[in-house]
Amino acid sequence: MAETTLIPEAIHALAEGRHGDPFAVLGPHDTPAGRVVRAMLPGAVSVAALAPDGTAHRLAPLHAAGLFEGPVPAGGRYLLRIDWGGAVEEVEDPYSFGRLLGELDIHLLREGTHRDIARCLGAHPMEVDGVQGVRFAVWAPNARRVSVVGDFNNWDGRRAPMRLRQECGVWEIFLPRLGPGAVYKFELLDPNGSLLPLKADPVAWQAEPAPATGSVVADTAAIRVAPRPIPPGDPAAQPISVYEVHAASWMRGEDNLPLSWEELGDKLIPYVKEMGFTHVEFLPVMAHPFGGSWGYQPLGQFAPQGALGPPEHFARLVERFHEAGIGVILDWVPAHFPTDTHGLAHFDGTALYEHTDPREGFHQDWNTLIYNLGRREVRNFMIGSALHWLEHYGVDALRVDAVASMLYRDYSRKEGEWVPNIHGGRENLENISFLQELSNVVAERCPGKLLIAEESTAFPGVTRKAHEGGLGFDFKWNMGWMHDTLHYMERDPIYRQYQHGGMTFGMVYAYSERFMLPLSHDEVVHGKGSLIGKMPGDDWQKFANLRAYLAFMWTHPGKKLLFMGGEIGQWREWSHDRSLDWHLLDEPRHAGLQRMLRDLNRLYARTPALHALDCDPAGFRWVVMDDAANSVLAFLRLGPEGSSPVLVVCNMTPVSRSGYRLGAPAGGAWREVFNSDAAIYGGANGGNGGRVQAQEMESHGLDASLVLELPALSTLVLTPEE
């Protein structure tokens, strides 16, 4: 072996893959004997350094494991000519490049306020000193050594150990002549020097389709979707009708394979537009290892799931929705992550992203780990993920999953299984602070983009501004309304009179938050059956019940959300492994239900009284709320000054009501603009012939009144004739 100034310990550490500061010994270095280059290339037969003038300088072997050293002229960039035993490669030396992350990046990472972490960490194709390649950066402050591994270096962690930026715990390296499409992972030694399972990149923009677990270098510079123009004014005054979709099972192709992002766009976009929904909401599209989690146990918080196509195709899908005038909402999961060894769990050999104490860091319900959002770097990681989807992919809103589990330290835990906060209470102060910071950052950087909370408790101020002590969400799912009304609708109509409050109680607290009414995927899984399957009675009554219920929902204060399949009366419980039963639309009742939902969306969007004062008590008045004996409800929806009022009447029994008098705010003719019992929807065509004359007779505290025919199991909508 050749002579060298390297100490034996350094040589052995490089050969064994234990050296934690490779840039101190590899690459070009000035020595008493002149400038030398050292390269660690296991498997190489010979190595030479090519000077700018083309002369070759042989590097002599220092260790049989593949460590070489030799002279190189001072100044200028050189190439390494590597003979791999027949194949010869010429490439720039990764260890000839200086520090990569700027001082501002380092400062912001250290203090946990780097708002574009997706373009700072991860893998990014770029040019450095005139050389094309990929810059890698990963946070792993407690690791002894971190390397990038892939097919490009035979998955050998000795080939590309990274430089540690001590100030922020981030490791970095630039690998020349690498580009998009390369599959990679990180190889780490834990604080004790033990080799960890290979780790996927936490900030990868692209992931291999499961069950493969590698990260993929994406063309990150090309992924940026122009933001959709934001409708002017308060979102609470806008019509928001959301179609909730699981991308891999909405519709399937040949051999029951999921549609690609491109194929999905070809079919889903025109469907959503024709149906009149204002937004589509995707169950989490973030890369996840197990399809049966539906995305709610994600590991790739920056990468769309790989099975449906590359990230640029997902970006184009968002763009196409925007071109059709449809907003895009993504479910986003900051509460927990799975324990898969290739993921975030004990990422650098320590509890880095999760809590150390399982009483704080392990979800017993889901067998997942809980993000330590009290740690500034983890908080920065998650806020960076949220901004990634809002800014780089241009999505219009995030629906934040499992907020209730984030707010309370004793969530789903028994006495002694949780750790109180610093004041001895059960509130999770760190997570509350995180959600407030998230809402402030989104409001500042993404004005007009929405945050929606899935929150099932009575925690106060979910939709109050953070600076006023709230969490800062724009809307909250009204889980109480959903549970109460579904419980009512599931009852045999003969017993509904005893559950009447299930339909009226929601108005007691309707203005305590800004609400969205959800009939989500959670109601049609885990043995709960389908939406239409919950309805009582024979098939005719089931359809009538569901039509009346959806019409009640669409006219009730609150924005709307419906999970796919509910609009066609899918009989089977939803399964993520198969398509919706689109063949049902060949049957008139299913097609009628779909048509009714389309008409409801259009009525809702064009009628200010049905949406403009959704979050204002001035927009609602009960007309009949106490007729439990007949299971009849009637209420007025009121819009801004100058708009027409809307009268909604529901008969939730299979008995028609003839000559039913109820109050109206104005005399004259009233038009029946919607009737869930219409024949075109599959009903019996009962009702009032499309028009009824109000009488100058006071009723229910109003100056005029209408005498109506109320079809069985129906919802009617009437407006004064102009």
Side-chain angles (χ1 to χ4, degrees):
M1 296 297 173
E3 293 186 5
T4 179
T5 57
L6 278 183
I7 61 174
E9 288 81 359
I11 294 175
H12 290 303
L14 287 169
E16 295 168 5
R18 294 185 290 102
H19 206 296
D21 190 9
F23 280 82
V25 289
L26 298 179
H29 291 275
D30 293 322
T31 73
R35 194 166 190 247
V36 300
V37 169
R38 303 187 191 101
M40 185 66 196
L41 298 165
V45 174
S46 65
V47 182
L50 301 182
D53 63 3
T55 59
H57 300 262
R58 178 178 173 273
L59 305 189
L62 292 182
H63 193 284
L67 179 61
F68 296 84
E69 177 183 290
V72 68
R77 183 163 296 287
Y78 59 91
L79 297 178
L80 294 178
R81 177 185 288 164
I82 310 164
D83 184 346
W84 296 105
V88 177
E89 174 187 15
E90 292 185 0
V91 66
E92 290 79 7
D93 183 357
Y95 297 94
S96 67
F97 295 88
R99 293 172 179 245
L100 302 169
L101 297 181
E103 292 306 313
L104 180 59
D105 285 326
I106 295 297
H107 170 74
L108 294 175
L109 287 170
R110 185 174 61 242
E111 70 175 19
T113 58
H114 201 303
R115 298 311 182 207
D116 203 1
I117 191 174
R119 293 203 181 274
C120 177
L121 302 183
H124 296 275
M126 62 177 59
E127 182 180 293
V128 177
D129 297 342
V131 178
Q132 294 291 335
V134 177
R135 185 196 73 193
F136 295 89
V138 62
W139 179 57
N142 304 303
R144 283 271 192 95
R145 187 261 296 166
V146 181
S147 299
V148 182
V149 293
D151 287 337
F152 46 83
N153 60 18
N154 204 30
W155 297 90
D156 191 331
R158 298 171 296 174
R159 287 273 301 276
M162 306 169 78
R163 172 194 285 120
L164 173 62
R165 303 299 297 271
Q166 296 275 2
E167 315 95 303
C168 62
V170 170
W171 300 75
E172 63 175 18
I173 196 169
F174 178 72
L175 296 186
R177 307 199 184 191
L178 206 60
V183 177
Y184 70 98
K185 286 187 180 182
F186 293 115
E187 182 182 277
L188 299 89
L189 297 184
D190 72 12
N192 298 316
S194 298
L195 196 63
L196 294 170
L198 293 182
K199 294 288 189 177
D201 184 355
V203 191
W205 285 45
Q206 186 172 350
E208 286 189 294
T213 57
S215 301
V216 182
V217 176
D219 186 2
T220 55
I223 300 173
R224 185 176 286 277
V225 176
R228 176 186 180 222
I230 302 298
D234 187 347
Q238 306 296 326
I240 297 179
S241 174
V242 181
Y243 188 53
E244 189 188 29
V245 169
H246 179 251
S249 65
W250 178 74
M251 183 178 290
R252 295 230 167 179
E254 293 184 9
D255 299 322
N256 197 39
L257 293 175
L259 302 180
S260 68
W261 295 125
E262 294 173 309
E263 294 168 331
L264 189 65
D266 292 341
K267 297 182 181 296
L268 179 60
I269 293 171
Y271 181 79
V272 173
K273 188 172 182 65
E274 169 64 19
M275 288 298 296
F277 288 99
T278 63
H279 292 73
V280 64
E281 178 176 324
F282 287 108
L283 273 61
V285 302
M286 299 77 188
H288 48 279
F290 175 51
S293 77
W294 317 324
Y296 289 103
Q297 294 190 13
L299 278 180
Q301 287 284 16
F302 296 78
Q305 61 187 100
L308 276 64
E312 57 267 27
H313 289 181
F314 176 72
R316 178 59 187 147
L317 176 67
V318 175
E319 214 163 39
R320 291 174 66 189
F321 269 111
H322 288 172
E323 290 166 358
I326 299 163
V328 178
I329 303 171
L330 299 186
D331 282 9
W332 181 66
V333 186
H336 61 124
F337 60 91
T339 60
D340 299 60
T341 56
H342 72 277
L344 301 179
H346 268 65
F347 187 79
D348 64 358
T350 68
L352 191 64
Y353 287 89
E354 67 271 37
H355 294 269
T356 303
D357 189 334
R359 294 177 299 168
E360 295 182 280
F362 187 75
H363 259 309
Q364 300 173 117
D365 291 352
W366 305 313
N367 293 320
T368 52
L369 297 171
I370 300 170
Y371 287 106
N372 181 4
L373 295 172
R375 183 167 188 167
R376 64 181 182 274
E377 297 95 340
V378 179
R379 181 183 295 224
N380 188 43
F381 172 78
M382 290 310 300
I383 290 178
S385 169
L387 293 175
H388 177 64
W389 301 103
L390 294 169
E391 294 183 338
H392 299 149
Y393 285 97
V395 304
D396 303 277
L398 297 177
R399 196 279 283 176
V400 183
D401 181 63
V403 172
S405 75
M406 299 177 68
L407 296 178
Y408 298 102
R409 288 173 163 265
D410 63 346
Y411 179 86
S412 196
R413 294 180 186 270
K414 299 174 184 176
E415 187 69 32
E417 295 179 345
W418 58 282
V419 180
N421 63 33
I422 57 173
H423 305 299
R426 57 193 287 260
E427 295 80 10
N428 193 316
L429 303 180
E430 294 81 6
N431 285 359
I432 291 169
S433 172
F434 163 78
L435 293 170
Q436 291 173 326
E437 182 180 358
L438 171 69
S439 65
N440 283 334
V441 171
V442 169
E444 177 184 348
R445 291 181 61 103
C446 310
K449 302 292 182 82
L450 304 179
L451 291 176
I452 303 163
E454 185 214 20
E455 203 286 305
S456 56
T457 76
F459 188 90
V462 172
T463 57
R464 191 184 311 137
K465 298 296 183 185
H467 69 267
E468 298 173 352
L471 297 182
F473 284 93
D474 295 281
F475 295 102
K476 168 182 170 173
W477 275 18
N478 195 335
M479 311 294 280
W481 177 92
M482 178 272 297
H483 284 299
D484 289 345
T485 58
L486 264 184
H487 181 67
Y488 175 91
M489 293 304 302
E490 289 171 347
R491 304 284 287 182
D492 186 300
I494 198 171
Y495 300 115
R496 284 178 178 168
Q497 60 182 310
Y498 307 113
Q499 301 288 332
H500 195 70
M503 297 294 270
T504 62
F505 183 66
M507 289 310 304
V508 173
Y509 58 88
Y511 304 107
S512 60
E513 301 278 5
R514 291 156 57 119
F515 282 118
M516 179 172 284
L517 310 181
L519 289 176
S520 76
H521 65 280
D522 278 331
E523 311 320 312
V524 293
V525 291
H526 300 320
K528 296 178 184 177
S530 65
L531 202 55
I532 195 167
K534 298 178 191 297
M535 302 295 117
D538 58 24
D539 282 0
W540 189 94
Q541 290 184 351
K542 286 180 183 295
F543 277 95
N545 270 299
L546 185 54
R547 290 194 305 267
Y549 180 45
L550 290 174
F552 169 74
M553 172 180 173
W554 251 251
T555 54
H556 191 284
K559 308 310 177 186
K560 326 299 177 190
L561 178 139
L562 181 67
F563 184 58
M564 63 184 201
E567 82 281 12
I568 66 172
Q570 165 123 354
W571 289 109
R572 292 195 295 178
E573 183 175 277
W574 170 62
S575 168
H576 65 276
D577 284 329
R578 63 172 182 255
S579 170
L580 295 182
D581 294 331
W582 293 107
H583 64 275
L584 293 175
L585 292 176
D586 294 335
E587 300 178 18
R589 281 181 300 191
H590 292 276
L593 176 64
Q594 183 193 49
R595 179 173 182 172
M596 186 205 74
L597 207 287
R598 181 198 66 187
D599 289 352
L600 273 176
N601 271 328
R602 294 176 178 178
L603 176 67
Y604 168 68
R606 71 172 182 258
T607 309
L610 291 178
H611 61 255
L613 298 181
D614 259 341
C615 302
D616 186 335
F620 180 91
R621 174 176 172 172
W622 281 114
V623 178
V624 175
M625 68 170 293
D626 56 357
D627 190 1
N630 292 310
S631 297
V632 170
L633 302 161
F635 53 87
L636 285 168
R637 293 300 308 277
L638 307 167
E641 186 175 349
S643 63
S644 297
V646 169
L647 177 63
V648 180
V649 192
C650 304
N651 174 17
M652 293 303 186
T653 67
V655 178
S656 299
R657 307 288 176 192
S658 181
Y660 196 98
R661 182 181 296 275
L662 51 83
W670 283 66
R671 287 188 303 120
E672 192 176 71
V673 296
F674 175 86
N675 181 347
S676 70
D677 192 48
I680 57 172
Y681 303 147
N685 225 27
N688 301 278
R691 188 173 184 272
V692 64
Q693 190 73 26
Q695 300 176 3
E696 298 296 330
M697 181 181 296
E698 182 180 352
S699 183
H700 300 103
L702 296 168
D703 293 336
S705 56
L706 300 170
V707 178
L708 299 175
E709 301 296 313
L710 306 184
L713 297 172
S714 69
T715 294
L716 309 179
V717 180
L718 302 99
T719 61
E721 198 168 81
E722 296 178 357

